[in-house]
Amino acid sequence: MKKPYSIRMRASRRGAHVSGAERIAEVGDVNDIVPQLLSRAFARSTEPDEVVVRCEKIAPHAMARLDSLDVVTLDCFDVPGCRSAAIRILESTGVPSSVAAAAVDLLASGASSSGRVMRGAAIMDIANGNRLEPDQERGVRASRFDWSYDAGAEAEHRLAAAGLNHYRTREALALATKIAHAPGTVAELCWSDDPEYTAGYVASRAAGYVRLPFMKRNSDPLGGRVIFFDAARGDLEQCIRYLQHAAVLIHTACKCLGPMSAEEYFDVRKRT
Ligand code: WAQ
Ligand code: MG
């Protein structure tokens, strides 16, 4: 990209988060993307009373290029099974199981300090489960990331071949790839706040993007993200600055594996 722009959308109702989106595009394409993001803001069952779209020029030389995490789908079809698989995978990345379980409970019960959905992610200390993000109502919102045009098209193709056609998967994979590379980050846990979208994932550089189809029941409006942080591996302020400000382009597409059981997944990981 010669003249890249960051394009961000956030929609809210009475101050509460409704939806958001992040893109990076060539200056000539900004005009096409803004209306796409606006229609996204109004596509939810909750009508926003405020929508903000922000476009900012990015210095092309300041853009980092990352390889996408690979995707593994687990063949687990009930909420308790998916949540306990998530805890086991988090444990395998170095998150103590008690901290992983606390994160699942946090997202299941509404992660913001008022029990609603947060606009950004919670950051959890793996040493003790303490929350580290400065604003526990809002969370930390990762921004300024996207697929390169070529890798995005290829990722879309490969995900579709694996039966993953939803734009949410592609966008979440780009976000998870950025988060996995943040200083001090051990892993991430996520599921959607969209009542109709039950899938979630655990991601890390070592674990890949492990997709879990039923992290919540249908019509449950709660969801969110927890980033697991290890102070021994990075500085918190640097981590937050990277998440919010570093421009990142994902320039290679993902491999897609599965569906497979958690046991098969751990076997595959042992062998590679
Ligand atoms: N940075 C930090 N946190 C975010 C961001 C961001 N850019 N965007 C969303 N969140 C947090 C926020 O708390 C939301 O409430 C929560 O994540 C969920 O956001 O492979 O669609 O946009 O198909 O609902 C999982 C994909 C979908 C599973 C995730 O998230 C799959 C999704 P949503
Ligand atoms: Mg969103």
Side-chain angles (χ1 to χ4, degrees):
M1 288 191 200
K2 293 196 180 70
K3 288 190 181 170
Y5 273 70
S6 147
I7 309 152
R8 298 189 267 162
M9 179 278 288
R10 60 185 163 81
S12 58
R13 183 182 175 93
R14 298 196 191 99
H17 173 77
V18 175
S19 67
E22 322 283 329
R23 298 290 304 275
I24 293 177
E26 197 61 91
V27 61
D29 296 326
V30 173
N31 240 328
D32 295 331
I33 288 174
V34 170
Q36 290 171 19
L37 298 187
L38 280 175
S39 39
R40 279 267 287 280
F42 290 97
R44 287 287 187 98
S45 47
T46 309
E47 189 182 87
D49 54 26
E50 185 181 77
V51 180
V52 178
V53 178
R54 190 182 197 113
C55 306
E56 285 167 327
K57 195 169 183 170
I58 301 172
H61 64 267
M63 205 140 58
R65 283 172 173 73
L66 297 179
D67 294 334
S68 173
L69 300 179
D70 290 330
V71 176
V72 185
T73 300
L74 296 196
D75 62 357
C76 181
F77 300 105
D78 63 287
V79 176
C82 284
R83 288 184 179 176
S84 66
I87 292 168
R88 281 180 62 198
I89 298 158
L90 286 168
E91 242 187 306
S92 78
T93 68
V95 179
S97 63
S98 60
V99 174
V104 168
D105 287 346
L106 180 73
L107 295 190
S109 61
S112 84
S113 38
S114 54
R116 296 184 297 193
V117 162
M118 293 167 79
R119 180 142 76 84
I123 301 181
M124 200 174 263
D125 190 337
I126 64 159
N128 49 27
N130 288 348
R131 299 272 292 274
L132 299 174
E133 73 279 14
D135 180 342
Q136 294 191 4
E137 183 65 29
R138 180 186 180 280
V140 171
R141 184 133 183 126
S143 199
R144 297 183 173 86
F145 63 89
D146 204 345
W147 296 94
S148 71
Y149 289 7
D150 287 349
E154 180 62 21
E156 183 169 8
H157 177 74
R158 292 187 193 177
L159 289 166
L164 303 173
N165 294 300
H166 206 288
Y167 69 82
R168 283 180 180 285
T169 308
R170 195 169 67 253
E171 291 187 0
L173 178 56
L175 175 50
T177 298
K178 182 177 184 185
I179 289 176
H181 290 80
T185 296
V186 176
E188 181 203 350
L189 168 70
C190 165
W191 67 86
S192 180
D193 56 48
D194 184 331
E196 316 307 324
Y197 202 85
T198 61
Y201 64 84
V202 169
S204 84
R205 273 189 281 177
Y209 180 99
V210 188
R211 193 170 186 273
L212 298 149
F214 290 96
M215 285 304 286
K216 68 176 185 183
R217 292 195 183 290
N218 205 17
S219 81
D220 177 347
L222 297 177
R225 284 186 155 86
V226 176
I227 297 170
F228 297 91
F229 182 81
D230 181 357
R233 294 201 224 176
D235 176 73
L236 181 64
E237 265 175 49
Q238 256 183 338
C239 174
I240 293 174
R241 207 174 321 123
Y242 172 90
L243 292 171
Q244 293 180 328
H245 299 295
V248 163
L249 213 55
I250 320 293
H251 73 152
T252 64
C254 49
K255 293 194 204 85
C256 299
L257 291 177
M260 64 176 79
S261 68
E263 277 62 37
E264 287 171 297
Y265 162 75
F266 284 118
D267 263 4
V268 169
R269 242 175 83 188
K270 238 182 282 165
R271 284 190 270 113
T272 52

